[in-house]
Amino acid sequence: MKITAADTIVTSPGRNFVTLRITTEDGITGLGDGTLNGRELAVASYLSDHVAPLLIGRDAARIEDTWQYLYRGAYWRRGPVTMAAVAAVDTALWDIKAKAAGMPLYQLLGGASRTGALAYGHASGRDVPEILDSVRAHLAQGYRAIRIQSGIPGLDSVYGVAASGAGGGDRYDYEPARRSADGPPRPVEEVWDTRAYLRHVPRVFEAVRAEFGPELPLLHDGHHRMTPIQAARLGKDLEPYDLFWLEDATPAEDPTALRLVRQHTTTPLAIGEVFNSPHDYGVLLSERLIDYVRSAVTHVGGVTAMRKLLDLAALYGIKSGIHGPTDISPVGMAAALHLDLAVHNFGIQEYMRHSAGTLEVFRTSYRFGEGLLHPSDQPGLGVELDETAAARFPYAPAYLPVNRLTDGTVHDW
């Protein structure tokens, strides 16, 4: 199955997405997600200008060889742009291989290990009553695990809170990349106060547990905004509320920081959505400093790299928690779901519902019901791209917000 075409498609049905479509000489096509939020065109250029010419004439069936060829052949390894591009190629080739075999991808990965993937939704609000209403709404939608994010007293806009100023006055149920109202495109700047956050969040979880009881799995995302000792304090303060996990409690660049957090709390820890290689996890896995791997298939090098990472994590009793925000396209989400179904050490899957415009461009066949996500039984990934619909949504720059402390210092996520 020689590759005859590799086309990069950029579209923005509310969010910017980069999709690679590989076509073989016998007419089989495969899709891969190369989206990198806020740096989409860098990946699109990497694919179109540097990777696509290398693929023409290669055997589409040689997935591992192609992965190594692209990763090692460029000399410059790793990095988010490179790994998103490699992921797009890798995922598209797995889509082709599964279609050629006439079976869904999870069957090629060893078959199903469970009936479906437990998914968590994203409840949030400016205050406790809004949060409780949001939890009720998610339970009514069928979610059986819920992430809790709260507004902070004194702060107008908090990233990840659907009804805050980050939504431009409208409620949103995803984490937004925003577009400037005037002037050149640039990230919106938000004020952040860690001390106020640390005082407020335990009270929020106390109220949620009092309302919904001890059985509902609850999660929380710190968005990398704490120092290690602050993260340790929050983890300890949240122990009475039995979290499923505390995510991204401290900046991920220094994995040894998790040693301090681990010493002071038994709250389970998850990290990794900003990582772009299995190599980033060496210390975290070998020292059991985390409980869940949070990378996205799209950003860690594709199905091939994610499967190797999760197999390594399994040796240490560490589970998956694959990143699944709305800036991962339905192609990337489908790839995650096939892995979720196949791997032994599945933990939970993040699930943000894509917009109607996104689902017009990407025709999906995975489904959500009774708290579980189910990948398609169609051959391949089970996602097709409508290029006519994609053309109706041209690229427009958008960025996640930048945090500043109350003294004006730019702050870590």
Side-chain angles (χ1 to χ4, degrees):
M1 293 192 298
K2 291 194 180 300
I3 296 171
T4 57
D7 302 303
T8 303
I9 299 149
V10 179
T11 184
S12 185
R15 302 296 294 257
N16 290 317
F17 298 110
V18 177
T19 306
L20 180 69
R21 182 181 60 210
I22 294 177
T23 306
T24 68
E25 60 188 348
D26 41 2
I28 302 176
T29 60
L31 298 178
D33 182 20
T35 305
L36 187 63
N37 196 341
R39 298 294 185 270
E40 299 89 358
L41 296 186
V43 183
S45 174
Y46 195 110
L47 285 168
S48 297
D49 298 331
H50 301 291
V51 173
L54 305 179
L55 297 176
I56 306 305
R58 290 187 64 85
D59 185 351
R62 297 180 61 173
I63 299 177
E64 178 71 25
D65 183 66
T66 299
W67 196 99
Q68 299 294 342
Y69 173 76
L70 295 176
Y71 180 76
R72 300 178 189 279
Y75 184 76
W76 305 108
R77 302 180 186 179
R78 304 169 64 182
V81 175
T82 293
M83 297 309 287
V86 171
V89 175
D90 183 78
T91 303
L93 294 181
W94 277 108
D95 192 18
I96 289 169
K97 184 176 282 287
K99 286 177 179 175
M103 60 179 62
L105 175 58
Y106 72 83
Q107 293 289 11
L108 289 186
L109 300 175
S113 293
R114 56 196 49 82
T115 57
L118 177 67
Y120 69 89
H122 299 70
S124 68
R126 287 168 293 193
D127 51 30
V128 168
E130 277 193 359
I131 293 169
L132 298 182
D133 285 345
S134 183
V135 173
R136 293 186 191 99
H138 281 80
L139 292 174
Q141 293 170 25
Y143 285 100
R144 293 170 13 197
I146 299 177
R147 191 184 82 167
I148 304 295
Q149 302 297 125
S150 175
I152 307 301
L155 301 184
D156 175 62
S157 181
V158 176
Y159 177 75
V161 177
S164 77
D170 297 322
R171 183 177 178 89
Y172 61 91
D173 289 302
Y174 56 89
E175 294 176 325
R178 298 163 65 185
R179 294 179 165 96
S180 302
D182 50 29
R186 57 171 58 94
V188 174
E189 297 186 6
E190 297 180 352
V191 175
W192 179 251
D193 186 336
T194 307
R195 294 186 66 199
Y197 164 79
L198 292 173
R199 290 193 301 270
H200 183 65
V201 168
R203 295 197 291 265
V204 170
F205 277 89
E206 180 181 25
V208 173
R209 277 287 179 230
E211 180 72 16
F212 298 102
E215 298 300 324
L216 179 64
L218 300 178
L219 305 86
H220 179 66
D221 189 347
H223 289 120
H224 302 116
R225 289 181 291 202
M226 289 168 276
T227 65
I229 196 65
Q230 290 169 339
R233 169 188 162 183
L234 181 63
K236 192 167 186 64
D237 288 347
L238 292 175
E239 284 177 9
Y241 312 113
D242 188 25
L243 267 63
F244 187 96
W245 77 35
L246 172 61
E247 175 188 348
D248 292 344
T250 194
E253 290 90 337
D254 179 10
T256 62
L258 273 296
R259 290 173 181 157
L260 189 149
V261 182
R262 195 62 131 181
Q263 289 169 4
H264 291 281
T265 181
T266 58
T267 296
L269 302 174
I271 205 165
E273 68 182 60
V274 299
F275 292 165
N276 53 72
S277 167
H279 294 286
D280 294 323
Y281 285 93
V283 171
L284 296 174
L285 298 183
S286 64
E287 297 188 21
R288 294 179 170 87
L289 299 180
I290 60 173
D291 302 279
Y292 296 92
V293 165
R294 280 286 290 141
S295 287
V297 177
T298 300
H299 298 143
V300 81
V303 173
T304 295
M306 180 62 85
R307 180 59 187 264
K308 291 178 181 179
L309 171 58
L310 294 181
D311 285 345
L312 177 61
L315 298 179
Y316 297 97
I318 295 167
K319 296 185 176 182
S320 71
I322 296 178
H323 192 40
T326 49
D327 57 289
I328 300 295
S329 85
V331 175
M333 174 60 73
L337 295 182
H338 284 277
L339 279 162
D340 289 339
L341 201 63
V343 298
H344 172 69
N345 56 325
F346 170 76
I348 201 166
Q349 174 63 53
E350 180 177 19
Y351 178 48
M352 287 184 169
R353 298 172 186 267
H354 284 101
S355 70
T358 298
L359 296 178
E360 182 183 350
V361 173
F362 298 94
R363 298 176 179 173
T364 64
S365 55
Y366 55 77
R367 59 187 179 85
F368 174 73
E370 298 182 345
L372 303 178
L373 281 161
H374 304 270
S376 171
D377 279 329
Q378 294 180 10
L381 291 173
V383 179
E384 299 298 332
L385 184 140
D386 185 328
E387 198 162 358
T388 300
R392 294 202 297 270
F393 300 100
Y395 169 82
Y399 301 97
L400 298 181
V402 170
N403 279 294
R404 288 189 183 273
L405 298 176
T406 52
D407 69 357
T409 304
V410 173
H411 189 48
D412 274 309
W413 274 99

